[in-house]
Amino acid sequence: MSVPMLLTPMEAQSPDDHMQNCAAFVDGASITYGTGNELESGSGSSAACKPTLREFNVRLEVPLAAEERLGLTGDVKALGEWQLSRSVALESLDELNWQATVPLQSCRQLEYRYFVYVEDLSGYKQIRRWETHFKPRSLGPCTELQCSQLDVFGITSDNSDLKPQVHRGWLNHEAILQLKFNGEKMFQVHDIETFDPQHVQLKIVPVEKTAGLHVEYSKQEYGKSQLELQPTFGVPYTKGDIVIFHITLPLERMMEQHFRLECYSMSNELLGSATLVTSDLTGSEGVLHLPIKSAKNADETLARLRLPYVAVQPYRYSPLDFKNTYAHYWPKSWPNLDVGHRGNGKSYIADAPAERENTIASFLSAHEHHADMIELDVHLTADGVPVIYHDFGLRTAPPGKQISRPDQLEYVLIKDINYELLKRLRIFSVIAGQVREYPSHNAEPRMEHRIFPTLVEVLEKLPKSLGIDVEIKWPQRRQGGGSEAEQTIDKNFFADKVLHQVIQKGCGRPIIFSSFDADMCTMLRFKQNVFPVMFLTQGETKKWQPFLDLRTRTFIAAVNNAQAFELAGTAPHAEDFLGENASEMLQKAKDLGQIAVIWGDDCNSKERVQYFTRIGATATCYDRSDLFMPEGKREAFFKSPALMAEFAAQCRI
């Protein structure tokens, strides 16, 4: 599938309308300016349009790394039409100033962006950083034979605070490997006197050096969690710290790269090391078991390390481009938004709403009652169909079997069932010990009320003025052992399937991704540059057992992880914000430019909805929009032609 491009109003005109096929003569040759905005041989002339050389001069605030280069792309052929592979390389004048001269049409207004990149041995570019202003830079027509432009990287006229607006890029022909020190029991030590995991410095060293291989780390502390280069003797680590090593490497190195984990004492003495090979990685995620061998005696094992990893592959379908990004688009001028939880609320409970949760009918009900967005839950079936349902599995029974007790029901996981079979299954819930049966998908005559709608059906049926929080369901391991559910589907495959459908069918509306799985958030962030991603957490709660990943345990831990990997923000549990310091906690997220969408049963009343608005939540996600919507609200926020026009640029038509 190729992502269709959005035509600007000028490009959408006929060739006769579009600069009237303006042409000129240069050095005796006839030059035609076609609708592609490229200089081409041809006939005809026009005094209105002349060939011109555009000189792009860029000043950096800090020098680039030795291997980094500056690139330029824009909406005309000569600038690559937003494509990374066809972008223009600038030349370095000195360590802070870069320049490129490009032949362009004199009568055409154009849009463009700058980016920093490195090139691997195969010639593929990796985007290190790029300008992410909501509106690209623009240049008007030039009436001279040569025009010059002076820019500052990351700063445009839209930067009222003169702070650079630059973010990391997305994956193209490279992958990310993260090695995660994010648990409580990482090391099994043989002799605490020779190796103390409470006082150690850790460093990842590539054995084979190659262009495009880059090692960074995040030590997650409030306000200081950004990725950065490793210190000479490694990153100080003690039990309870969260340290993530973030390795970018060319795709062809993913199965043949060796690394050495070096362990130093706090006095910078090399204590020992372990070797890891990327060919040992099995699937998108897993755990490596590494012996730490003594630096003094290679036959001596100082400790054993249980090291979780995640490997992020590039989005497998069509390439994305630089034209626009909504990954950090959430203006401060927006009001607190109302988000319908699973549509109009949970339904497998007493006193449920009329519409079953996570159905098109429930989403439309929330919309009817002025919800700005709805939240839905996405699973992948055994045959790879993204389907909407909350739980990882469902209670069912064979056709015709009489059910009177809960123990007569079977529990099956969605990931083990093909979609056609899923639509036929009987569906039960147990409420206060009583068994209740609901119509299966196929038994429900009203399409909008059918359980298990596909993600595509939802995206096609809901009005674009209704925003969507797409929660990716991925089971979490618990602190006390065990997991929410078994998952055997590959994580990259899962993420790509959902992204593909959202990019194809969901553009042109407010969409945000969320997940309780920190690594899924990382994947969604680095696979694409179109939609924002937020880390969904349960925080410090008395309602459920804590998850194993330390990043999920507190609101601040979630904020730190969001800062590390440039997520839009977090979706924290309401229970974290019932104390006196609630406003101060939310302000910590705002101070880092993050959003915070609060969810949970503690949101389910008019008083609580008002409370979370008052303390500064970006949005509040609650059940029963029909009961708890703020008084006086007469229209959803996104029912605005001007706002919808802004989101239309998501679609590459």
Side-chain angles (χ1 to χ4, degrees), residues 426-484:
R426 298 172 70 188
I427 306 297
F428 295 84
S429 70
V430 179
I431 302 172
Q434 300 299 309
V435 176
R436 178 177 175 182
E437 183 170 6
Y438 300 81
S440 69
H441 176 100
N442 287 350
E444 173 57 70
R446 301 166 298 172
M447 186 280 293
E448 293 176 348
H449 290 261
R450 288 174 184 161
I451 196 172
F452 305 125
T454 64
L455 179 58
V456 166
E457 289 172 341
V458 170
L459 294 172
E460 290 179 339
K461 294 292 183 182
L462 297 190
K464 287 189 179 294
S465 59
L466 179 60
I468 303 177
D469 169 8
V470 181
E471 181 189 337
I472 308 296
K473 301 293 287 190
W474 195 266
Q476 296 299 289
R477 296 190 61 81
R478 298 187 178 96
Q479 179 187 22
S483 176
E484 291 182 296

Side-chain angles (χ1 to χ4, degrees), residues 32-149:
T32 300
Y33 296 84
T35 57
N37 303 305
E38 190 68 280
L39 300 176
E40 297 174 348
S41 298
S43 61
S45 65
S46 170
C49 212
K50 299 178 180 180
T52 186
L53 293 175
R54 284 278 193 175
E55 186 179 273
F56 294 87
N57 294 280
V58 191
R59 180 171 178 82
L60 304 173
E61 294 198 316
V62 294
L64 301 183
E67 73 277 13
E68 293 178 338
R69 298 291 180 266
L70 197 64
L72 164 68
T73 187
D75 64 346
V76 296
K77 283 186 177 180
L79 297 182
E81 294 179 314
W82 300 119
Q83 298 299 315
L84 175 63
S85 61
R86 294 160 47 206
S87 58
V88 175
L90 283 79
E91 295 295 327
S92 174
L93 302 179
D94 54 49
E95 66 176 11
L96 291 178
N97 293 283
W98 294 70
Q99 184 183 85
T101 302
V102 184
L104 293 167
Q105 297 174 353
S106 64
C107 55
R108 168 69 151 82
Q109 179 157 331
L110 58 90
E111 295 183 337
Y112 65 104
R113 297 183 190 270
Y114 297 108
F115 64 98
V116 175
Y117 70 94
V118 297
E119 203 166 282
D120 67 20
L121 294 178
S122 299
Y124 291 121
K125 295 183 178 73
Q126 299 176 8
I127 309 164
R128 285 273 175 92
R129 301 176 295 284
W130 68 298
E131 296 183 321
T132 52
H133 307 91
F134 182 64
K135 295 180 180 179
R137 296 178 181 271
S138 64
L139 278 180
C142 170
T143 58
E144 306 297 328
L145 289 178
Q146 182 165 344
C147 296
S148 182
Q149 178 69 18

Side-chain angles (χ1 to χ4, degrees), residues 220-249:
Q220 301 197 356
E221 304 174 51
Y222 177 74
K224 300 184 290 184
S225 301
Q226 304 96 323
L227 289 170
E228 55 186 314
L229 297 178
Q230 302 175 95
T232 302
F233 295 101
V235 183
Y237 172 81
T238 190
K239 182 179 178 181
D241 284 348
I242 300 173
V243 175
I244 311 292
F245 290 97
H246 183 95
I247 305 166
T248 306
L249 68 168

Side-chain angles (χ1 to χ4, degrees), residues 322-344:
F322 288 93
K323 180 169 173 42
N324 50 49
T325 177
Y326 296 76
H328 297 272
Y329 182 61
W330 201 294
K332 294 179 180 178
S333 59
W334 285 5
N336 172 278
L337 300 184
D338 296 286
V339 183
H341 183 228
R342 307 184 202 175
N344 196 33

Side-chain angles (χ1 to χ4, degrees), residues 138-192:
S138 64
L139 278 180
C142 170
T143 58
E144 306 297 328
L145 289 178
Q146 182 165 344
C147 296
S148 182
Q149 178 69 18
L150 178 61
D151 296 312
V152 178
F153 181 64
I155 298 177
T156 72
S157 58
D158 293 334
N159 289 78
S160 57
D161 56 4
L162 296 182
K163 292 182 179 179
Q165 187 163 331
V166 175
H167 292 92
R168 289 171 174 265
W170 64 99
L171 298 177
N172 288 274
H173 295 279
E174 70 274 21
I176 290 171
L177 173 62
Q178 287 191 347
L179 305 174
K180 305 179 297 177
F181 289 80
N182 64 333
E184 293 167 309
K185 299 178 181 178
M186 303 294 300
F187 291 96
Q188 180 183 354
V189 179
H190 293 191
D191 185 351
I192 194 69

